[in-house]
Amino acid sequence: MNSQEILNKLPYSKPFLFVDEISKIDENGVIGSYTLHEDSFFYKGHFKDHPVTPGVILTEVMAQIGLVCLGIYLLNDGFNSSSSIALTSTNIEFLKAVYPNEKVIVTSEKIYFRFGKLKCKVCMVNQEGVAVCTGDIAGMLIQNSKKNE
């Protein structure tokens, strides 16, 4: 499965899609990037006149790239339109502010993938290569089922 196929399977759309590119992916991890655009909805009112990216958005960027993209890759054909990967836990340390129009790069290393649960060590760096947040993220595969009535 290539990067574009993974991006096409992501269960998100704008304005809640936080993956621009996957530059590397294999069974052990993923590297991807996203640029935080100044007109994004979450900057309006978040530190008036001096917008800063909320930590929950940085966590979501790391989860979409570092957990969901990797999970789709690992599941390959086992991930379909009725599948999703639900976040189960995070332990993130925020080290530096991220501002509008910054590009961030997320590196994720698989800690384990078993019984439908994926746990990863993630690190986000800014354009200068300085770590802005780091930690662990875990999630599990959910098979959505719709009953015919």
Side-chain angles (χ1 to χ4, degrees), residues 107-131:
T107 301
S108 174
E109 297 175 23
K110 178 181 72 178
I111 296 172
Y112 65 79
F113 179 53
R114 61 179 173 265
F115 306 117
K117 186 165 184 177
L118 175 62
K119 185 172 184 179
C120 301
K121 176 180 171 63
V122 291
C123 180
M124 177 186 285
V125 300
N126 62 18
Q127 298 164 138
E128 290 79 37
V130 176

Side-chain angles (χ1 to χ4, degrees), residues 2-3 5 20 53 84 98 107 112-113 117 121 133 147:
N2 67 38
S3 296
E5 291 172 318
D20 289 333
T53 308
S84 59
V98 177
T107 301
Y112 65 79
F113 179 53
K117 186 165 184 177
K121 176 180 171 63
C133 46
K147 295 180 181 180

Side-chain angles (χ1 to χ4, degrees), residues 53-101:
T53 308
V56 68
I57 298 297
L58 297 177
T59 301
E60 184 66 24
V61 173
M62 290 192 300
Q64 287 188 19
I65 294 171
L67 187 74
V68 179
C69 288
L70 182 57
I72 291 170
Y73 178 85
L74 293 171
L75 291 166
N76 198 353
D77 292 333
F79 191 90
N80 55 49
S81 61
S82 66
S83 304
S84 59
I85 298 175
L87 190 66
T88 58
S89 66
T90 63
N91 181 17
I92 305 298
E93 184 175 355
F94 300 97
L95 307 169
K96 187 170 176 49
V98 177
Y99 299 100
N101 296 320

